[in-house]
Amino acid sequence: MGNGHYTNEAYIALRTRKSYSSKTRKQIFESRQLDTEMDPRRIQIRESRDSTEHPESLAIIIGLDVTGSMGFVPEDIVKNTLPDLMGSLIQAGVEHPQVLFLGLGDFVYDRAPLQVGQFESSAELLDRWLTRVYLEQGGGGNNGESYNLAYLFAARHTSIDCFEKRQQKGYVFTIGDEPCLGDIPGDVIRRLTPEDQARTVSTAEILQEAQAQYQVYHLHLLHNQASQSEHRKAGWRDLLGQQFIEIEDYRTVAKRIAECVIRDLETQNRCIKSTDQKLTPNGEEIIL
Amino acid sequence: MRRSVVLDQIKAVEMVIDLGFGDSGKGVMVDYLCAQNPERSLVVRFSGGHQVGHTVWFEGKRHIFSHFGSGTFRGVPTYYTAQTTFFPPGMLMERQRLTEYNPVLYLDPQVMVTTPYDIAFNRALEQQNAHGSCGVGFGATVERHDDGVPLFAQDLQYAWVVQQKLNGIADYYQRRVSALEPKIQDAYRTELNGYEDDQYIDVCLEATQWIQVRRFDQCVCDVDRLVFEGSQGVLLDQSHGFFPHVTRSYTTSRNAFSFLEQFQVQAQQITLNYLTRCYQTRHGNGPMSSENNVVLVNNEHEANQHNFYQGAFRCGALDSALLNYALDCDRNYHPWPSVQNRLVISCLDQLPEFDIGKLLGELTVSFDEVMGNVSPYSESLGVIQSPRIK
């Protein structure tokens, strides 16, 4: 029956002059669509593989909320922050990161609820996916986004050497400012992925499935008053505990992702670089 | 006066009316009717406006129609009558999803246009009512027109005219808001923070490229079939629903019949398609005559319709007395005895124990045909053969 999705999106776009700063209004309202190469329905498996150039690859999945409930933030993250991610990771000491970018939407409104890149080892290649992602302008308030689609994809549609060969878990980071929806209905899974026999899974179930191969984090952005409200955070802490992280300044997400990865690798007491140095949990170097 | 081609050609009229509180599958039924003869059909929206959400699945894709008729996937154009509302920016947003179908929209010159002021006022009030809903300004738009402060579809192409009318609309709401408590005044101001008229006017001008504003008798499209797409349900009608849980619209076939009379359409066959699920359903607040006494299966595609705009999705056993009441209400508006009646029961897959024969025995109308659906797709809509159908 009633549905205010398009009206709401348009209404927000009309009130957000920021969204007009770099684009003409006509562009905002012009037809865009999901890039077919990023369409999950066509993707059975995304692989993160070792190579001679990158003998110890580490799979890192970044799922960004691009619904536009965050206003101009996704665009800024895609254009200005994530391109530095590869640099930040390498600088922090992750030698062979392979980053897969996901654009996360809201399956209730299914314009492009899930967009999937490929595992890439260079900033240039990652950038190719970032520029292709279809960003929804406007957007608006419903009570959650489909961050759980990132868990679904990681759990069932990736194959990663770091875990399969070395039992080293990969990483999933979702970035957004809303609560997560409580489940993924079976028909949504059937619609968004090649699976045609899928039942409804709860977010907790699919998270557990993803955690078999990945460490899972959520970065919650505190960029406006709405995102700071307790109900937006509720649920995340129960779901992820320490791995729910609040971010004051969204421009620092690349740095924070790198920090999380390094800190986690540290606690596993693994050598990060194949050089003869280590970092303590406090970040001090230990020269061996 | 020379009558336009289109009016003399119309042979068949189908009306799709929901007997309950909405959500009975109007989109699917309209899609089904359009699929029978897409080249010769025209969908007519005659009640409600851009606040509706009619879901249609087509080739594995789902779309929730609000600014376009549910025949859009079949390439069928839509005509909006003067009793409906329209939000041009929302239409453009929705159109992005539908470009490949090249949807054609005809608007009566006096379709009521919604502005950001209507939405802001609507939402400011909602905050006070704490319904947690997110209005789209439908009720406010209709009320503003009733109060003599209109903005019509025919105005949209004239930027200066729209600007003058927006000034009047801003004043109108300023007056209304200043009579309310400070909290609402603040909420209203916050809603409009960052909004400027020229943005809206620009978008309206853009929208005029995608719509054709003309009276029905001046539409030249080669159709012989009208599919009237109803909105909400009879039990939400402003004269037959249960105040205050009503919509500011006539949701019976009332507007559709007065439209046929106004343009003297002499159709050979008029069929009323009365829709119901095999259980009662309601979004959000308001009375239901039974609740929580059915166990549904196979409804996972709806379990997650946490509809932020309207609240929880509630269900109860079907009540034949309430169906009879809705049928009584709708029969006030049928001047012709030659009307065909069709009952369409959806979601039969979700309630396996539902007894169609028993229901038909309890209804006061004898139906010429009974159809049923066992999925959200129009492909599975079909006629139900039953000895109980007279």
Side-chain angles (χ1 to χ4, degrees):
Chain A
M1 207 177 96
N3 180 281
H5 177 56
Y6 301 107
T7 295
N8 191 43
E9 211 177 316
Y11 175 68
I12 290 187
L14 279 172
R15 296 184 312 157
T16 321
R17 254 170 307 161
K18 278 211 164 88
S19 61
Y20 297 132
S21 58
S22 60
K23 294 182 165 193
T24 67
R25 224 152 294 154
K26 205 168 151 78
Q27 276 175 305
I28 287 172
F29 287 94
E30 80 181 348
S31 178
R32 291 282 317 268
Q33 48 193 341
L34 169 62
D35 190 309
T36 49
E37 277 197 75
M38 299 188 84
D39 186 347
R41 278 167 303 191
R42 308 155 59 102
I43 300 165
Q44 202 54 265
I45 274 303
R46 286 289 199 232
E47 300 175 336
S48 164
R49 297 284 172 241
D50 297 340
S51 63
T52 37
E53 205 182 336
H54 302 288
E56 294 207 350
S57 61
L58 182 63
I60 300 171
I61 296 177
I62 308 292
L64 175 66
D65 174 354
V66 294
T67 51
S69 61
M70 305 204 294
F72 61 95
V73 172
E75 193 172 355
D76 204 75
I77 289 179
V78 164
K79 283 184 181 163
N80 305 319
T81 309
L82 287 181
D84 303 336
L85 177 64
M86 213 52 101
S88 305
L89 287 164
I90 292 167
Q91 214 174 350
V94 183
E95 210 169 354
H96 302 292
Q98 287 197 340
V99 179
L100 173 127
F101 178 76
L102 299 174
L104 300 173
D106 179 333
F107 57 65
V108 177
Y109 299 125
D110 67 1
R111 175 179 298 208
L114 180 60
Q115 302 175 73
V116 183
Q118 301 248 26
F119 282 104
E120 300 292 3
S121 302
S122 77
E124 294 70 38
L125 290 171
L126 177 63
D127 209 41
R128 221 183 47 174
W129 298 108
L130 293 177
T131 52
R132 276 189 194 184
V133 73
Y134 162 53
L135 293 171
E136 295 209 26
Q137 287 292 338
N142 69 335
N143 52 0
E145 303 296 358
S146 317
Y147 303 105
N148 47 19
L149 292 176
Y151 310 154
L152 173 76
F153 195 85
R156 300 183 183 177
H157 298 277
T158 62
S159 168
I160 54 176
D161 274 356
C162 57
F163 186 75
E164 289 161 25
K165 286 186 180 174
R166 297 183 293 283
Q167 285 67 57
Q168 163 67 56
K169 283 188 181 181
Y171 295 86
V172 172
F173 290 89
T174 49
I175 307 168
D177 69 343
E178 295 236 28
C180 186
L181 295 175
D183 62 7
I184 313 177
D187 68 298
V188 170
I189 300 178
R190 293 192 291 271
R191 185 155 47 90
L192 288 181
T193 68
E195 284 183 70
D196 48 13
Q197 301 286 323
R199 53 166 192 86
T200 300
V201 284
S202 72
T203 297
E205 282 172 339
I206 196 72
L207 171 64
Q208 208 173 3
E209 222 176 294
Q211 282 168 330
Q213 298 179 76
Y214 290 91
Q215 292 285 5
V216 178
Y217 294 78
H218 180 69
L219 306 183
H220 180 80
L221 306 182
L222 303 166
H223 60 99
N224 62 20
Q225 212 163 1
S227 63
Q228 292 166 28
S229 69
E230 207 41 49
H231 95 91
R232 289 276 186 105
K233 304 173 193 174
W236 278 120
R237 273 195 205 88
D238 307 340
L239 210 56
L240 294 172
Q242 291 288 299
Q243 289 172 224
F244 166 72
I245 291 162
E246 296 180 35
I247 305 271
E248 296 283 346
D249 178 356
Y250 68 86
R251 281 164 299 201
T252 61
V253 292
K255 207 161 112 275
R256 295 294 292 275
I257 289 170
E259 279 170 17
C260 291
V261 173
I262 285 299
R263 200 163 298 160
D264 182 66
L265 291 173
E266 253 319 298
T267 53
Q268 297 170 36
N269 234 337
R270 284 175 181 276
C271 280
I272 295 153
K273 285 190 175 180
S274 48
T275 60
D276 51 1
Q277 57 165 290
K278 273 191 185 175
L279 296 177
T280 66
N282 299 328
E284 300 140 22
E285 278 186 35
I286 301 170
I287 309 292
L288 299 173
Chain B
M1 175 195 139
R2 200 180 143 271
R3 300 196 51 209
S4 151
V5 201
V6 67
L7 302 182
D8 295 334
Q9 289 181 348
I10 293 169
K11 298 193 186 78
V13 168
E14 299 273 358
M15 294 185 186
V16 176
I17 305 291
D18 183 320
L19 289 174
F21 299 104
D23 294 309
S24 66
K26 291 181 289 294
V28 177
M29 189 64 195
V30 169
D31 175 66
Y32 167 86
L33 291 166
C34 287
Q36 293 172 341
N37 193 350
E39 285 78 23
R40 310 281 286 157
S41 300
L42 174 69
V43 167
V44 182
R45 285 283 320 274
F46 60 95
S47 66
H50 64 285
Q51 92 284 33
V52 310
H54 294 174
T55 306
V56 180
W57 290 86
F58 182 74
E59 293 175 351
K61 271 191 296 209
R62 182 185 72 161
H63 186 85
I64 303 175
F65 287 100
S66 44
H67 299 81
F68 295 86
S70 298
T72 299
F73 283 144
R74 309 287 176 176
V76 173
T78 312
Y79 185 88
Y80 277 75
T81 73
Q83 289 84 17
T84 59
T85 64
F86 192 72
F87 184 53
M91 182 276 287
L92 287 174
M93 280 283 177
E94 185 172 358
R95 199 178 193 287
Q96 295 180 22
R97 303 287 316 277
L98 299 166
T99 41
E100 62 190 284
Y101 304 100
N102 226 336
V104 177
L105 280 182
Y106 299 101
L107 268 63
D108 184 285
Q110 297 188 69
V111 162
M112 299 173 272
V113 176
T114 295
T115 66
Y117 297 101
D118 302 299
I119 300 174
F121 181 75
N122 189 174
R123 293 186 179 192
L125 283 187
E126 283 294 350
Q127 291 185 9
Q128 176 220 14
N129 298 340
H131 288 171
S133 96
C134 230
V136 297
F138 169 77
T141 304
V142 177
E143 197 170 351
R144 171 168 60 76
H145 283 76
D146 287 350
D147 290 344
V149 189
L151 176 63
F152 291 131
Q154 64 180 23
D155 305 338
L156 296 175
Q157 57 177 313
Y158 305 108
W160 188 85
V161 172
V162 176
Q163 182 62 72
Q164 299 318 301
K165 294 204 168 194
L166 288 173
N167 296 347
I169 290 166
D171 288 350
Y172 162 83
Y173 280 119
Q174 205 45 59
R175 276 201 309 279
R176 289 192 64 183
V177 167
S178 60
L180 300 166
E181 52 193 87
K183 211 171 66 177
I184 299 178
Q185 298 184 26
D186 287 349
Y188 177 72
R189 262 197 303 276
T190 307
E191 282 291 332
L192 288 171
N193 192 4
Y195 160 76
E196 285 171 6
D197 282 343
D198 56 6
Q199 298 183 357
Y200 175 74
I201 294 168
D202 267 10
V203 174
C204 285
L205 287 174
E206 170 73 16
T208 56
Q209 297 178 39
W210 304 105
I211 57 181
Q212 301 186 44
V213 178
R214 52 185 63 164
R215 274 172 55 117
F216 180 65
D217 51 6
Q218 285 154 359
C219 285
V220 183
C221 54
D222 193 20
V223 304
D224 60 9
R225 228 165 138 253
L226 299 181
V227 179
F228 283 87
E229 179 171 0
S231 69
Q232 288 90 13
V234 172
L235 300 181
L236 293 166
D237 179 275
Q238 60 186 349
S239 46
H240 302 297
F242 311 111
F243 188 83
H245 304 284
V246 293
T247 182
R248 289 190 74 98
S249 192
Y250 295 117
T251 56
T252 59
S253 55
R254 172 182 174 149
N255 291 350
F257 280 105
S258 48
F259 179 86
L260 293 178
E261 271 185 282
Q262 183 192 346
F263 294 105
Q264 298 161 31
V265 175
Q266 308 287 340
Q268 296 147 18
Q269 193 184 33
I270 297 176
T271 307
L272 273 149
N273 299 275
Y274 287 118
L275 273 54
T276 180
R277 290 192 179 198
C278 56
Y279 51 91
Q280 275 189 73
T281 176
R282 177 161 206 158
H283 257 118
N285 298 337
M288 286 176 73
S289 68
S290 77
E291 195 167 356
N292 297 334
N293 52 352
V294 284
V295 178
L296 302 178
V297 296
N298 201 25
N299 63 334
E300 54 186 27
H301 61 280
E302 272 168 342
N304 206 333
Q305 283 211 352
H306 55 272
N307 193 321
F308 184 76
Y309 303 99
Q310 297 157 286
F313 186 74
R314 301 150 57 199
C315 302
L318 201 57
D319 177 349
S320 52
L322 213 45
L323 288 176
N324 284 329
Y325 168 77
L327 289 164
D328 287 348
C329 294
D330 200 66
R331 270 184 304 199
N332 292 318
Y333 307 107
H334 304 187
W336 295 285
S338 58
V339 170
Q340 296 269 305
N341 291 310
R342 185 186 283 141
L343 182 67
V344 186
I345 309 168
S346 59
C347 303
L348 287 165
D349 55 315
Q350 297 177 15
L351 195 61
E353 70 267 27
F354 181 74
D355 184 341
I356 297 172
K358 179 170 172 291
L359 172 74
L360 293 174
E362 292 167 353
L363 294 180
T364 50
V365 170
S366 73
F367 288 92
D368 301 288
E369 188 169 68
V370 179
M371 292 184 74
N373 200 350
V374 291
S375 85
Y377 314 102
S378 62
E379 287 72 20
S380 59
L381 247 174
V383 176
I384 298 171
Q385 303 296 340
S386 161
R388 304 282 295 268
I389 303 172
K390 302 184 230 6

